[in-house]
Amino acid sequence: MTTPILEIRNLHARIEEREILKGVNLTIPAGQVHAIMGRNGSGKSTLSYVLAGKEDYEITEGEILLNGENILEMDPAERAVAGIFLAFQYPIEIPGVATMTFLKAAMNAQRKARGESELSTPDFMRAVKEAGAQLNIDSDMLKRPLNVGFSGGEKKRAEILQMALLKPALCVLDETDSGLDIDALQVVSKGVNALRDANRSMLVITHYQRLLNHIVPDVVHVFSDGRIVESGDKDLALQLEAKGYADFDATAA
Amino acid sequence: MRQTMPVRLGAAEDTLIAQLKSVGADATAERITVAGLPTRRVESYHYTDLKTLLRAIPPLAQAANEASAPALRVPGAYQLMIANGVIQSASTAPAGVIVGKAAGGVLTTRDDVLVHLNGAFAKESLTLTLESSVDPVIQIDRRSEGEAAHVADSLKVFVADGASAVILETFSGSNAAHVGNHATYMALGKNAVVTHITVDLSPRAAAHFASNEYHIGEGAKLRTLVIHAGAGLSRTQLFPRYEGAGAHGDITGLNLVVDGQHADITMDASHAVPHTSSQPLFKSVARGRGKAVVQGKLVVARDAQKTDAKFMHQGLMLSDEAEILSKPELEIYADDVVCGHGSTCGKLDEDSMFYLTSRGIPKEQAETMLVRGFIEELVDPIEDEALAEALHGIVDGWLLGK
Ligand SMILES: Nc1ncnc2c1ncn2[C@@H]1O[C@H](COP(=O)(O)OP(=O)(O)OP(=O)(O)O)[C@@H](O)[C@H]1O
Ligand SMILES: [Mg+2]
């Protein structure tokens, strides 16, 4: 059996004495797209932050294996280099840091950490231009400070642009569809689908089945009160859309 | 008659008094004898207690016979040098610039010890008359060279009506416990546009003092940027005076301090006539036990109606032990004005740090990017590319601990 890209075993995490993740088990084989759906506050973003290595959380139990390697001791930058990418639910605005400067710094930092040479400016510009064109990102937007003054939809597209440039092994998309208009949803989904690859896995967090018509998942998980309580194929999302989460709360209890 | 208790004088004061007497500045010597150096009880020195901070004064500077490497090179700049208070001969001035010398200091007398001392010790001043718009950046490289020395120098700049210029002053020198006391007087004619940048790159052992007096005429626009990035103890005093309708000042400054450093920017601005405006914006970044001070006083005269002036100081603490102090002061005698002040102080934003590092950018580099971003607002308006790049270099050098 080949090693899955992501394997989470009995993961428990707390913040400020409050346990949010209560025994998450999740395996995503290479090439697969898994979706997570669940109530507000059930811990989906927490899971994504814990994967990316945000410091505020205390892991009290369990393991996260990326390509078979435990990443819990790694800091966020090391995890990024190892192949984790989180498309934020709420991308951060950073005044004073130019978007292009940031993109170049991120790409080169990862290359450097892997022992590759730095990108030349023309190569970098070309890569950004190509990836940007696919996502209908105009170059004026990239001249602004990072995420500053970007509309909600622009911020989400910028996240996917970063993902396309950084080519991670594991893409975690936290409500990338929220704030997108119908056309933008198409564009972003197309961008994400273009990144589907036999060596890449994706974890797509969403509240709406509609996104999953565009990004068709291999597996859908229902998240409730800090753990996965049900898993199924893409029809599970339809079922949830029709009936809500009530049935699954019962099984969780 | 009221009896005043004589103050106890320290070694620095004794040396100063002897030096003042040796140059015939008896009145100033008498002042120091009676009052000593200012302590925290003197309002304008409340956070920069010179009596405590300035323990020794080195001997008065002798003419230098060698110069250390320039601390900052700006390609294309026209360079002038004052070394140990002595004006050095310069190459041919660019079009529109007349270079000269005058005897003595340049500052208008005011109740301030640094101003008095500069007046007493500055033997000659460099004068620049800018008759029209000057293309190259004019750099005045002020040096303290050789053994530790007490250096005083001064510069006077006249900017003709309608002229424009970018003037850079750099302060540097040999690695010794110099005390530098520098003065700049600048008069901007009608509609003149001037950018004046002063950068302290003195060695850590040195104390750096500068007093800049500005007279801003009708419709004239002044942008200043003070950068403290060198001496262990630094204080730059800014005295802008808005003297004609439409006069405007973007008075900005940056304190960069690490463990053991003390940097102070003190502005005392005077809006003297109606319809003038200013936007003083200062930033401080402090590491270790570094201490940064910004004081900003806005004085609006009785008939200076329609004055629009806002003072702002933003601090960034890179350690828990750092100290960033702000003192805004408004003294408003007119009734139809918009004046205000504000200050903020915080640490690097954790969410921003997480965002950058989650993209693979190592922690130190992410910090550097955020600090640079914090400062960018001050460097961004500098249009000369070579100069902006040189200033970025200073900030980066500081960030990387050079
Ligand atoms: N700093 C914190 N201190 C205490 N509780 C927190 C903290 N941060 C998050 N939580 C709590 O953790 C729980 C899970 O939050 P999380 O953001 O992971 O939910 P979510 O499933 O992503 O919700 P949504 O669908 O609304 O995005 C919530 O109840 C939230 O209030
Ligand atoms: Mg969430």
Side-chain angles (χ1 to χ4, degrees):
Chain A
M1 213 187 87
T2 53
T3 318
I5 297 246
L6 178 69
E7 195 174 351
I8 301 176
R9 293 181 189 154
N10 189 31
L11 185 68
H12 290 253
R14 54 170 59 214
I15 183 161
E16 288 160 18
E17 304 302 307
R18 185 174 153 203
E19 184 161 63
I20 311 284
L21 300 184
K22 303 176 179 173
V24 179
N25 288 294
L26 173 65
T27 300
I28 311 183
Q32 288 199 0
V33 172
H34 288 208
I36 286 188
M37 302 179 82
R39 272 187 209 284
N40 293 130
S42 57
K44 304 180 299 298
S45 291
T46 302
L47 176 63
S48 73
Y49 286 145
V50 167
L51 283 169
K54 200 173 186 202
E55 275 170 7
D56 316 352
Y57 304 92
E58 187 195 345
I59 312 299
T60 51
E61 229 183 303
E63 283 183 316
I64 303 175
L65 306 180
L66 185 74
N67 289 313
E69 199 191 339
N70 193 342
I71 60 165
L72 283 180
E73 295 300 314
M74 296 182 180
D75 69 22
E78 290 166 337
R79 293 185 196 201
V81 171
I84 290 188
F85 181 93
L86 168 61
F88 282 61
Q89 181 172 1
Y90 304 108
I92 309 294
E93 296 193 7
I94 307 186
V97 175
T99 305
M100 290 300 262
T101 309
F102 159 74
L103 291 175
K104 199 169 180 196
M107 290 175 78
N108 279 332
Q110 295 206 15
R111 292 175 72 94
K112 195 173 160 199
R114 295 194 193 104
E116 299 164 21
S117 64
E118 287 208 348
L119 275 177
S120 72
T121 301
D123 286 348
F124 164 72
M125 298 298 283
R126 199 173 308 119
V128 173
K129 214 172 150 193
E130 278 171 19
Q134 279 217 346
L135 292 159
N136 285 358
I137 289 174
D138 70 344
S139 52
D140 282 350
M141 192 175 120
L142 300 176
K143 286 183 191 138
R144 283 188 255 159
L146 185 54
N147 290 325
V148 176
F150 289 17
S151 74
E154 284 171 342
K155 281 181 185 157
K156 297 304 178 76
R157 268 182 285 169
E159 293 289 289
I160 305 307
L161 172 72
Q162 293 172 36
M163 194 167 99
L165 292 171
L166 295 171
K167 300 187 170 45
L170 176 70
C171 306
V172 182
L173 284 74
D174 191 359
E175 293 194 33
T176 298
D177 51 338
S178 70
L180 290 181
D181 65 36
I182 299 158
D183 291 343
L185 183 67
Q186 300 256 15
V187 171
V188 165
S189 303
K190 231 176 86 187
V192 173
N193 285 329
L195 292 169
R196 286 183 86 148
D197 185 282
N199 297 314
R200 179 174 291 132
S201 297
M202 297 190 184
L203 184 60
V204 179
I205 297 169
T206 182
H207 284 294
Y208 302 106
Q209 191 275 330
R210 195 181 56 189
L211 176 72
L212 305 181
N213 286 335
H214 298 281
I215 305 171
V216 181
D218 298 289
V219 181
V220 175
H221 305 280
V222 181
F223 211 80
S224 177
D225 193 25
R227 76 192 103 179
I228 288 171
V229 293
E230 179 80 42
S231 301
D233 65 9
K234 64 182 185 328
D235 292 339
L236 181 57
L238 287 167
Q239 208 180 315
L240 278 171
E241 185 102 336
K243 295 207 246 162
Y245 292 110
D247 290 357
F248 301 101
D249 289 344
T251 50
Chain B
M1 210 180 90
R2 235 179 92 203
Q3 282 293 118
T4 43
M5 280 283 285
V7 293
R8 280 250 299 275
L9 300 177
E13 287 146 332
D14 288 340
T15 311
L16 271 178
I17 292 162
Q19 290 180 349
L20 284 163
K21 285 184 176 158
S22 79
V23 297
D26 294 341
T28 307
E30 182 59 23
R31 266 199 192 91
I32 304 265
T33 308
V34 172
L37 284 167
T39 65
R40 58 196 308 277
R41 277 191 283 279
V42 175
E43 190 60 25
S44 56
Y45 285 85
H46 184 69
Y47 295 120
T48 300
D49 182 321
L50 282 189
K51 199 177 175 77
T52 315
L53 291 166
L54 200 58
R55 286 305 173 87
I57 303 284
L60 286 173
Q62 304 296 310
N65 39 28
E66 57 186 37
S68 49
L72 188 68
R73 273 225 176 277
V74 179
Y78 169 60
Q79 287 209 333
L80 291 155
M81 191 197 284
I82 310 177
N84 288 9
V86 181
I87 298 161
Q88 310 292 302
S89 54
S91 57
T92 315
V97 181
I98 300 169
V99 180
K101 276 186 203 184
V106 293
L107 297 173
T108 306
T109 302
R110 62 170 68 219
D111 183 19
D112 179 86
V113 65
L114 295 172
V115 170
H116 288 147
L117 292 175
N118 184 273
F121 292 120
K123 290 197 194 80
E124 57 176 3
S125 55
L126 174 65
T127 64
L128 295 178
T129 306
L130 311 182
E131 297 186 297
S132 57
S133 293
V134 181
D135 282 337
V137 169
I138 301 170
Q139 178 179 8
I140 297 108
D141 193 6
R142 305 211 204 188
R143 304 293 191 85
S144 302
E145 299 292 358
E147 304 271 293
H150 182 190
V151 175
D153 55 20
S154 66
L155 166 71
K156 193 163 196 167
V157 184
F158 296 98
V159 187
D161 293 353
S164 66
V166 177
I167 299 163
L168 166 69
E169 297 194 59
T170 45
F171 304 87
S172 66
S174 61
N175 188 8
H178 303 291
V179 172
N181 186 324
H182 312 280
T184 299
Y185 174 104
M186 204 175 275
L188 279 67
K190 269 187 201 172
N191 300 317
V193 178
V194 171
T195 298
H196 182 220
I197 298 170
T198 61
V199 187
D200 174 45
L201 296 165
S202 309
R204 185 65 52 80
H208 167 80
F209 302 113
S211 303
N212 300 350
E213 174 177 340
Y214 303 98
H215 295 267
I216 308 151
E218 194 181 316
K221 307 256 177 291
L222 171 69
R223 170 173 289 279
T224 69
L225 174 57
V226 177
I227 300 181
H228 285 151
L233 169 63
S234 60
R235 170 161 162 131
T236 295
Q237 312 192 109
L238 302 168
F239 306 124
R241 199 177 140 86
Y242 304 89
E243 300 177 337
H248 177 80
D250 287 296
I251 309 298
T252 73
L254 173 63
N255 286 317
L256 298 172
V257 289
V258 299
D259 211 39
Q261 270 183 307
H262 179 118
D264 168 348
I265 300 174
T266 291
M267 181 191 74
D268 186 347
S270 159
H271 288 266
V273 301
H275 293 282
T276 65
S277 57
S278 67
Q279 199 97 51
L281 172 64
F282 302 98
K283 302 203 181 209
S284 295
V285 186
R287 270 206 185 125
R289 284 173 211 278
K291 185 164 174 177
V293 176
V294 171
Q295 306 187 98
K297 185 171 178 182
L298 295 168
V299 182
V300 179
R302 188 177 300 279
D303 66 344
Q305 304 295 2
K306 305 290 177 192
T307 294
D308 185 337
K310 264 173 226 84
F311 163 88
M312 184 71 198
H313 178 211
Q314 299 170 343
L316 180 59
M317 312 252 294
L318 297 181
S319 76
D320 292 331
E321 299 80 34
E323 248 186 295
I324 296 180
L325 301 159
S326 259
K327 193 175 77 182
E329 228 180 310
L330 299 178
E331 214 176 286
I332 298 171
Y333 301 101
D335 50 22
D336 184 13
V337 302
V338 181
C339 290
H341 61 79
S343 67
T344 59
C345 194
K347 298 185 163 198
L348 281 179
D349 180 54
E350 281 177 24
D351 289 337
S352 301
M353 277 300 289
F354 175 57
Y355 189 81
L356 295 178
T357 53
S358 79
R359 280 12 181 178
I361 298 170
K363 192 162 174 255
E364 298 71 38
Q365 193 185 344
E367 267 178 20
T368 306
M369 288 174 79
L370 290 179
V371 177
R372 231 197 268 176
F374 174 74
I375 291 166
E376 187 51 31
E377 193 183 352
L378 301 180
V379 182
D380 193 51
I382 311 297
E383 283 168 16
D384 186 277
E385 274 180 36
L387 178 54
E389 197 178 320
L391 297 177
H392 278 132
I394 291 167
V395 172
D396 286 357
W398 182 82
L399 284 167
L400 300 172
K402 272 188 242 162

